[in-house]
């Protein structure tokens, strides 16, 4: 910064150099002034020393405020203006401070407007989803009343897909505030699974897909029923979507050495390409399978991963092309989510 300061003050340095040069010329060439040579040298040394000391003093004085601003810029946060040092001088520190204050106030106004717009969009979306559920419920009642009708059975699967998409949209809109909606409790894994399988049974019947539950089905897991069930539903939905007709989905429940419950859902679908695997939890990523399945949105696994982070569920995927995909959900016994549950009890 010192070099930059010298460059900024080059006109002052030039003026001082010119003054020193003219003084020397006057002393040397004016016949009326009699000065010893060593006095001229002394004058030059004294002048230059004074100039150097002056510049160092002014450098520290004039740049201290800007050094504070540079240090602040390395750690900018939402409260950057509150942490900004007060100006020491009216000029130019106060001008810079006032400029940054105006920028901060304009930014706050824009943020409030954006948040207000987002909240209105969010409310509109939630309202729209709830309005859509009313005719869907009527449609479901009609379908249930004509279960023996083949056309009604076909419509039931379509109804289910629309219902799942709307339900997913509701969870997306609630995701940002989901922390306040969590209710951790110990749940029977078998009950959780059967409830989600029952929800998706029509789709399974349409594709004639069998679901086998194996392992320690009496296991329990500490999780939130609604959000934990949503994670399982997303994994099961993917398994059904990519399973071939007449396929089988195997769900294995285990308790490992650390007393953690592991639910593994394996399908016999096309599998996931190795280069797609690291990105399957990215928002909107559909991969090669998604290009074949035109209904893929790339949101299901993204939501499952995001909600799993909040619920402290470890989610892992293994897949072999042509042999299927296996997704494991690990519910650890000791995690902060369980600690919250115990503090509530």
């Amino acid at each position: 910064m010192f070099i930059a300061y010298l460059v900024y003050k080059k006109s002052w340095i030039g003026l001082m150099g010119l003054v020193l040069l003219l003084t020397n010329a006057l002393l040397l060439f004016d016949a009326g002034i009699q000065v010893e040579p060593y006095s001229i040298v002394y004058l030059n040394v004294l002048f230059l020393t004074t100039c150097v000391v002056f510049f160092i003093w002014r450098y520290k004085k004039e740049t201290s405020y800007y050094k504070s601003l540079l240090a602040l810029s390395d750690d900018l946060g939402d409260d950057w203006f509150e942490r900004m040092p007060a100006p020491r001088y009216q000029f130019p520190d106060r001008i810079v401070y006032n400029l940054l204050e105006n920028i901060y106030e304009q930014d706050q106004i824009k943020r409030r407007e954006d948040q207000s717009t987002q909240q209105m969009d969010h409310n509109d979306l939630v309202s729209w989803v709830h309005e859509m559920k009313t005719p869907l419920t009527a449609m479901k009642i009609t379908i249930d009343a004509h279960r023996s009708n083949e056309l009604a059975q076909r419509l039931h699967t379509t109804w289910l897909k629309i219902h799942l998409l709307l339900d997913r949209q509701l969870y997306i809109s609630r995701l940002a505030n989901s922390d306040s909606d969590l209710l951790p409790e110990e749940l029977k894994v078998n009950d959780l699974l059967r409830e989600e399988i029952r929800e998706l049974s029509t789709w399974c019947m349409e594709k004639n897909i069998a679901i086998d539950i194996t392992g320690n089905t009496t296991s329990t897991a500490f999780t939130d029923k609604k959000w934990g069930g949503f994670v399982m539903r997303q994994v099961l939905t993917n398994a059904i979507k990519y399973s071939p007709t007449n396929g089988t989905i195997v769900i294995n429940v285990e308790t490992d050495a650390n007393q953690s419950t592991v639910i593994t859902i394996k399908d016999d679908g096309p599998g996931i390409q190795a280069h797609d695997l690291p990105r399957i939890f990215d928002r909107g990523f559909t991969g090669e399978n998604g290009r074949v399945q035109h209904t893929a949105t790339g949101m299901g696994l993204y939501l499952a991963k995001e909600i799993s982070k909040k619920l402290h569920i470890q989610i892992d995927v293994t897949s072999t092309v042509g042999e299927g995909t296996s997704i494991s959900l690990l519910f650890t016994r000791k995690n902060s989510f369980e600690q919250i549950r115990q503090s509530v009890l």
Side-chain angles (χ1 to χ4, degrees), residues 10-253:
K10 60 182 182 294
S11 58
W12 286 81
I13 295 172
L15 177 62
M16 290 180 180
L18 180 62
V19 170
L20 182 61
L21 184 64
L22 291 174
T23 303
N24 283 313
L26 182 66
L27 294 174
L28 288 172
F29 301 111
D30 190 332
I33 301 175
Q34 297 295 324
V35 181
E36 295 294 332
Y38 66 83
S39 295
I40 297 177
V41 174
Y42 176 75
L43 174 67
N44 279 270
V45 171
L46 183 63
F47 185 87
L48 291 174
T49 302
T50 303
C51 286
V52 170
V53 172
F54 174 78
F55 268 99
I56 292 175
W57 171 65
R58 291 303 304 173
Y59 167 74
K60 290 184 177 179
K61 196 174 181 66
E62 294 179 19
T63 60
S64 60
Y65 186 67
Y66 298 97
K67 285 180 179 177
S68 302
L69 295 182
L70 280 177
L72 181 66
S73 68
D74 293 334
D75 184 26
L76 280 178
D78 291 339
D79 60 340
W80 65 270
F81 186 74
E82 285 79 1
R83 293 187 288 117
M84 198 171 78
R88 297 183 180 180
Y89 307 104
Q90 288 298 318
F91 181 84
D93 297 2
R94 172 59 67 179
I95 293 176
V96 173
Y97 182 87
N98 290 341
L99 175 64
L100 293 175
E101 185 179 33
N102 289 335
I103 292 173
Y104 176 76
E105 289 176 353
Q106 291 298 319
D107 180 63
Q108 291 299 306
I109 292 171
K110 189 170 187 313
R111 281 193 181 199
R112 285 193 289 271
E113 290 176 349
D114 290 344
Q115 287 174 354
S116 176
T117 303
Q118 288 176 1
Q119 187 61 44
M120 289 174 63
D121 291 343
H122 170 81
N123 293 340
D124 289 345
L125 179 62
V126 172
S127 175
W128 178 80
V129 171
H130 282 296
E131 287 179 11
M132 285 293 293
K133 282 196 167 187
T134 303
L136 271 181
T137 302
M139 190 184 300
K140 179 74 164 51
I141 293 171
T142 305
I143 292 171
D144 287 343
H146 300 81
R147 279 192 172 276
S148 57
N149 188 297
E150 185 180 351
L151 180 59
Q153 290 178 0
R154 291 181 182 176
L155 281 176
H156 198 176
T157 305
T158 304
W159 174 89
L160 176 63
K161 293 177 181 177
I162 297 172
H163 167 71
L164 291 174
L165 287 172
L166 288 175
D167 196 49
R168 181 189 297 171
Q169 194 60 50
L170 268 183
Y171 276 87
I172 291 173
S173 64
R174 292 169 178 163
L175 184 60
N177 301 315
S178 60
D179 289 344
S180 59
D181 190 37
L182 297 179
L183 181 61
E185 56 184 328
E186 185 172 13
L187 300 169
K188 292 180 179 178
V189 171
N190 199 35
D191 292 345
L192 269 176
L193 284 171
R194 289 192 181 280
E195 186 170 335
E196 297 307 324
I197 292 170
R198 192 183 303 115
E199 176 93 4
L200 303 170
S201 58
T202 310
W203 198 354
C204 290
M205 285 189 287
E206 185 194 59
K207 297 183 72 174
N208 196 28
I209 292 173
I211 296 182
D212 291 340
I213 302 178
T214 62
N216 185 9
T217 55
T218 60
S219 296
T220 59
F222 295 108
T223 190
D224 177 271
K225 184 178 181 181
K226 184 174 72 174
W227 291 89
F230 180 79
V231 173
M232 289 186 191
R233 198 181 314 149
Q234 297 312 301
V235 177
L236 279 170
T237 300
N238 260 35
I240 296 170
K241 184 187 299 179
Y242 292 110
S243 287
T245 302
N246 303 321
T248 301
I249 295 172
V250 178
I251 302 174
N252 185 54
V253 184

